[in-house]
């Protein structure tokens, strides 16, 4: 599977610089390993990010039970509705600044427990992650802990989902004089209301 998002940029200045480019160009493979395992691998082929293709997602999950599933590998951090929405299903082509900066790293290597579906009363995700971001091994003794819990009171109608998000982690100190690791903590709330052809989310 895969998809592309070509783009055209024009700068409104005296130079008028403009270019065609790839916003995203992704190719992936997914499948099942009998009987309860699934693999998922996606590569970003666009030179817009690093100049070279790179591994975006790569994980194996165990999906036998509805309420206790597991995944290990590299995947999106389970923080916020917007980050969990696939790029090709976003209402805008780019993610918001608050998600890009405060929910980062957006993808990371780690282990996740999750359960529930889009129609169950509760849906949850809990991950232990490196905290160093895409394709980077951990550089300190700590880990990032990320969780997302959704309450979906109207089941199969998908009328309303409200939830909370939390992230705490440590990283190697930015200052050479520091004696302890840096730390960060993020909180988030989310809501998604769907009625016929009307959607309100935040």
């Amino acid at each position: 599977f895969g998809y592309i998002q070509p783009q055209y940029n024009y700068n409104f200045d005296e130079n008028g610089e403009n270019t065609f480019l790839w916003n995203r160009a992704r190719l992936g493979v997914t499948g099942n390993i009998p009987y309860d395992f699934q693999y998922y691998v996606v590569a970003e082929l666009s030179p817009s990010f690093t100049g070279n293709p790179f591994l975006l997602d790569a994980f194996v999950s165990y999906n036998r039970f509805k309420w206790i599933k597991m995944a290990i590998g590299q995947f999106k951090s389970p923080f916020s509705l917007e980050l969990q929405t696939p790029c090709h299903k976003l209402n805008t082509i780019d993610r918001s600044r608050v998600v890009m900066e405060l929910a980062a790293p957006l993808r990371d290597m780690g282990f996740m427990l999750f359960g529930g579906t889009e129609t169950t009363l509760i849906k949850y995700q809990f991950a232990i992650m490196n905290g160093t971001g895409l394709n980077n091994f951990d550089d300190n003794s700590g880990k990032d802990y990320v969780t997302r819990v959704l309450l979906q009171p109207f089941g199969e109608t998908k009328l309303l989902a409200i939830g909370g998000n939390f992230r705490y982690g440590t990283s190697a100190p930015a200052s050479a004089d520091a004696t302890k690791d840096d730390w960060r903590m993020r909180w988030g709330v989310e809501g998604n209301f769907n009625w016929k052809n009307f959607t309100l989310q935040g």
Side-chain angles (χ1 to χ4, degrees):
F1 66 92
Y3 62 93
I4 60 171
Q5 291 179 334
Q7 185 170 315
Y8 174 73
N9 285 0
Y10 184 90
N11 295 323
F12 291 92
D13 56 22
E14 63 274 9
N15 297 322
E17 293 179 359
N18 63 94
T19 183
F20 292 99
L21 57 91
W22 294 107
N23 190 34
R24 299 180 181 99
R26 297 180 178 173
L27 187 63
V29 60
T30 186
N32 295 314
I33 305 170
Y35 290 94
D36 303 308
F37 291 90
Q38 181 182 19
Y39 59 89
Y40 182 91
V41 181
V42 178
E44 174 61 67
L45 307 179
S46 168
S48 302
F49 293 93
T50 64
N52 297 300
F54 61 90
L55 190 63
L56 199 63
D57 293 311
F59 61 87
V60 174
S61 58
Y62 180 71
N63 302 321
R64 181 171 186 176
F65 305 107
K66 180 192 292 188
W67 291 107
I68 303 178
K69 303 177 184 180
M70 295 172 246
I72 188 167
Q74 181 165 280
F75 44 80
K76 287 180 181 176
S77 298
F79 192 97
S80 83
L81 167 65
E82 184 177 330
L83 184 53
Q84 293 304 299
T85 303
C87 294
H88 62 282
K89 292 185 178 180
L90 290 170
N91 294 316
T92 57
I93 196 168
D94 291 318
R95 300 190 190 278
S96 65
R97 180 67 61 87
V98 67
V99 167
M100 294 297 290
E101 293 187 0
L102 294 183
L106 305 186
R107 282 179 166 86
D108 206 348
M109 287 185 266
F111 172 77
M112 180 165 60
L113 288 174
F114 58 103
T117 68
E118 300 299 324
T119 59
T120 56
L121 176 62
I122 295 173
K123 181 180 178 182
Y124 75 92
Q125 296 166 284
F126 172 73
I128 302 173
M129 314 189 83
N130 280 343
T132 49
L134 199 66
N135 298 316
N136 288 319
F137 297 129
D138 209 343
D139 59 357
N140 69 338
S141 60
K143 288 288 182 280
D144 276 24
Y145 302 93
V146 192
T147 189
R148 177 175 181 242
V149 178
L150 285 180
L151 183 64
Q152 306 169 124
F154 297 100
E156 294 186 3
T157 65
K158 300 181 183 180
L159 180 69
L160 178 67
I162 52 176
N165 306 268
F166 175 75
R167 180 178 200 130
Y168 174 82
T170 59
S171 60
S175 171
D177 300 327
T179 58
K180 295 182 179 180
D181 287 342
D182 293 340
W183 65 275
R184 65 179 166 200
M185 185 164 54
R186 302 281 188 259
W187 295 89
V189 293
E190 65 180 79
N192 189 29
F193 176 78
N194 291 294
W195 184 67
K196 295 185 177 179
N197 291 322
F198 177 78
T199 298
L200 178 65
Q201 58 184 209

